[in-house]
Amino acid sequence: AQSVTQLDSQVPVFEEAPVELRCNYSSSVSVYLFWYVQYPNQGLQLLLKYLSGSTLVKGINGFEAEFNKSQTSFHLRKPSVHISDTAEYFCACSNDYKLSFGAGTTVTVRA
Amino acid sequence: DAGVIQSPRHEVTEMGQEVTLRCKPISGHDYLFWYRQTMMRGLELLIYFNNNVPIDDSGMPEDRFSAKMPNASFSTLKIQPSEPRDSAVYFCASSPRTGVKNTEAFFGQGTRLTVV
């Protein structure tokens, strides 16, 4: 079985500042890793995913994440956030056909 | 493609009533998932189907919950009888992969269920 821990439940950040959302996973086998974003009253949308290959993954809206096998982490970063990045962000992992989600991190971007 | 379509978007019902949530997955997707989202428990996988067959229903909380997928383009999640603690947002998601273990799931907008 695999699981995901998101280390921060809430992250307030000022507009144009960088942000990092932390995610650690636990699995006895190789996993695939994902970051999803949920805007208010919306479904989840895929930001990026790591399947194999390069450990630095670039996604939509200027987000990127780095897979670190030794630290079992998959942290999400954006160098400069916008007000529109205010949302909840979910890290997820999978090694079969179903996703296991973290508890989510709420990002609030202030002007 | 219109994406995963769920209906209704909002449902308010009285305790004890039957509730049916509906989902139309993306055409051609082989996997369909039902998730429940609450503040207390986050996102929980309830059940998933592969080619219309239920594969894992270990997340279904009680016998009051049931799910069906009569064909590749339609699935239902039923709660009978409903209880206030069932209040949550229920998401349907579908995935295009069969035989490849990278499950990028595409989510619907969700159904917000309130049981009073």
Side-chain angles (χ1 to χ4, degrees), chain B residues 18-90:
Chain B
E18 176 180 296
V19 175
T20 299
L21 312 181
R22 297 172 175 80
C23 175
K24 177 179 167 54
I26 294 172
S27 177
H29 283 195
D30 300 310
Y31 285 83
L32 183 139
F33 308 83
W34 281 101
Y35 286 87
R36 178 172 67 175
Q37 185 179 35
T38 61
M39 288 291 292
M40 292 297 294
R41 301 171 70 91
L43 273 160
E44 304 172 277
L45 178 64
L46 301 178
I47 184 172
Y48 77 96
F49 296 82
N50 178 24
N51 292 325
N52 313 339
V53 176
I55 302 301
D56 183 351
D57 65 354
S58 60
M60 296 286 261
E62 301 172 34
D63 291 344
R64 297 184 296 107
F65 286 70
S66 63
K68 294 182 180 179
M69 193 165 185
N71 57 61
S73 59
F74 184 66
S75 177
T76 60
L77 178 67
K78 185 177 294 186
I79 309 173
Q80 165 63 15
S82 58
E83 297 183 4
R85 60 194 168 119
D86 302 330
S87 298
V89 181
Y90 290 82

Side-chain angles (χ1 to χ4, degrees), chain A:
Chain A
Q2 64 274 5
S3 65
V4 167
T5 301
Q6 291 184 243
L7 300 169
D8 308 292
S9 60
Q10 304 215 16
V11 174
V13 59
F14 286 105
E15 194 175 19
E16 298 184 9
V19 71
E20 180 179 78
L21 308 184
R22 297 179 294 168
C23 172
N24 286 96
Y25 68 93
S26 172
S27 176
S28 57
V29 297
S30 296
V31 294
Y32 304 103
L33 295 161
F34 306 81
W35 275 99
Y36 281 83
V37 60
Q38 184 180 28
Y39 299 106
N41 300 314
Q42 298 290 316
L44 278 73
Q45 178 183 357
L46 182 70
L47 275 178
L48 49 80
K49 61 184 176 182
Y50 172 79
L51 304 180
S52 64
S54 173
T55 57
L56 183 64
V57 180
K58 294 189 181 298
I60 63 171
N61 299 342
F63 284 93
E64 64 180 31
E66 186 156 18
F67 171 65
N68 188 318
K69 188 174 182 179
S70 63
Q71 297 186 5
T72 61
S73 67
F74 190 55
H75 300 335
L76 180 71
R77 290 188 285 265
K78 185 170 182 177
S80 176
V81 296
H82 302 289
I83 297 289
S84 59
D85 292 322
T86 293
E88 189 158 19
Y89 293 79
F90 292 92
C91 183
C93 69
S94 170
N95 69 352
D96 55 18
Y97 297 101
K98 56 184 182 180
L99 291 162
S100 295
F101 284 92
T105 298
T106 300
V107 173
T108 304
V109 182
R110 299 174 178 148

